[in-house]
Amino acid sequence: EAEVAQSPRYKITEKSQAVAFWCDPISGHATLYWYRQILGQGPELLVQFQDESVVDDSQLPKDRFSAERLKGVDSTLKIQPAELGDSAMYLCASRLAGSYLGNEQFFGPGTRLTVL
Amino acid sequence: DQQVKQNSPSLSVQEGRISILNCDYTNSMFDYFLWYKKYPAEGPTFLISISSIKDKNEDGRFTVFLNKSAKHLSLHIVPSQPGDSAVYFCAASSNSGYSTLTFGKGTMLLVSP
């Protein structure tokens, strides 16, 4: 069964360091999302790609976060410098292009980030 | 302002009984609703969805009910099984913008044998 792959699964870093997360969506899924989930909260959208283009990054803290999907397939989310408040689960999701109706998002296992 | 609300942080149910998880929303533009299930250290997995043109959708032990006038939906699990113990997220989407999902905070369901 096709799955969304993410790595690493766990990352511990010190504040002010740079971190990067990688996501490989399900083959053929043109739409890719990065979410952040803080413990006790629901996932919150950081950035949405359609193919290689960013279509929504309104909630991405652009002073320290960046995301790219250069060839429209896999994607990287970077934080530089990391802050204590960035400790969270970072989730990647993908779905087929087209209508959102009946076209659910599939999530990867996430990367658990701890900033010390 | 939270647009999707799950007011019960947790729910405990005995195996074999019905589990009812509730969700309220405030945005009238939402027209597609989903439930996701999440185990610890895993990503959310899609469970069931409902369009606003329906008031009920059923898939095996899982049924979602939508009350548009009350802006309320609920997920019924019958019968509940210990393997259903997880966090359940309600999510909503609309045709505006980029059709992103707005999630609630989740309800942790514990099904005891």
Side-chain angles (χ1 to χ4, degrees):
Chain A
E1 182 177 301
E3 295 180 341
V4 176
Q6 288 188 250
S7 67
R9 293 292 308 275
Y10 303 92
K11 179 69 178 179
I12 299 174
T13 190
E14 294 185 344
K15 63 180 181 179
S16 80
Q17 297 298 304
V19 292
F21 314 129
W22 177 80
C23 172
D24 192 12
I26 293 173
S27 178
H29 281 196
T31 308
L32 184 147
Y33 307 83
W34 283 100
Y35 290 88
R36 176 169 59 186
Q37 186 192 1
I38 296 168
L39 198 61
Q41 305 286 322
E44 294 181 330
L45 181 70
L46 290 173
V47 61
Q48 177 181 348
F49 288 90
Q50 182 66 33
D51 298 308
E52 68 276 8
S53 300
V54 173
V55 297
D56 186 358
D57 64 356
S58 57
Q59 301 303 310
L60 187 72
K62 298 181 190 63
D63 56 335
R64 298 184 300 107
F65 286 65
S66 64
E68 60 183 17
R69 193 183 183 198
L70 294 176
K71 296 182 179 179
V73 181
D74 59 337
S75 176
T76 302
L77 178 70
K78 297 179 181 177
I79 308 175
Q80 182 172 18
E83 296 180 353
L84 295 177
D86 296 332
S87 295
M89 174 78 85
Y90 290 82
L91 294 161
C92 179
S94 69
R95 69 170 178 87
L96 291 166
S99 173
Y100 62 104
L101 296 173
N103 186 6
E104 68 269 16
Q105 296 181 24
F106 292 85
F107 283 81
T111 296
R112 168 68 67 187
L113 173 67
T114 301
V115 182
L116 303 176
Chain B
D1 179 36
Q2 235 188 331
Q3 298 187 67
V4 178
K5 300 177 184 179
Q6 294 179 256
N7 292 320
S8 298
S10 63
L11 175 68
S12 292
V13 171
Q14 281 195 318
E15 181 178 7
R17 307 294 289 269
I18 184 171
S19 295
I20 300 176
L21 295 93
N22 293 306
C23 177
D24 297 294
Y25 61 96
T26 57
N27 188 339
S28 300
M29 298 299 292
F30 288 146
D31 60 0
Y32 188 60
F33 304 89
L34 307 89
W35 285 93
Y36 279 83
K37 173 180 174 180
K38 186 180 183 303
Y39 293 117
E42 294 184 13
T45 55
F46 170 73
L47 196 56
I48 192 169
S49 63
I50 188 166
S51 165
S52 60
I53 63 172
K54 295 184 174 183
D55 55 16
K56 177 182 174 181
N57 190 25
E58 193 171 353
D59 184 1
R61 298 186 296 113
F62 302 91
T63 303
V64 56
F65 295 92
L66 176 62
N67 182 333
K68 290 187 291 294
S69 60
K71 293 190 178 68
H72 176 84
L73 62 154
S74 61
L75 174 68
H76 293 212
I77 306 174
V78 183
S80 301
Q81 299 174 353
D84 296 329
S85 298
V87 177
Y88 289 78
F89 290 101
C90 173
S93 185
S94 72
N95 196 29
S96 63
Y98 300 105
S99 305
T100 56
L101 287 179
T102 301
F103 284 85
K105 291 186 175 183
T107 297
M108 180 178 291
L109 174 66
L110 178 61
V111 181
S112 55

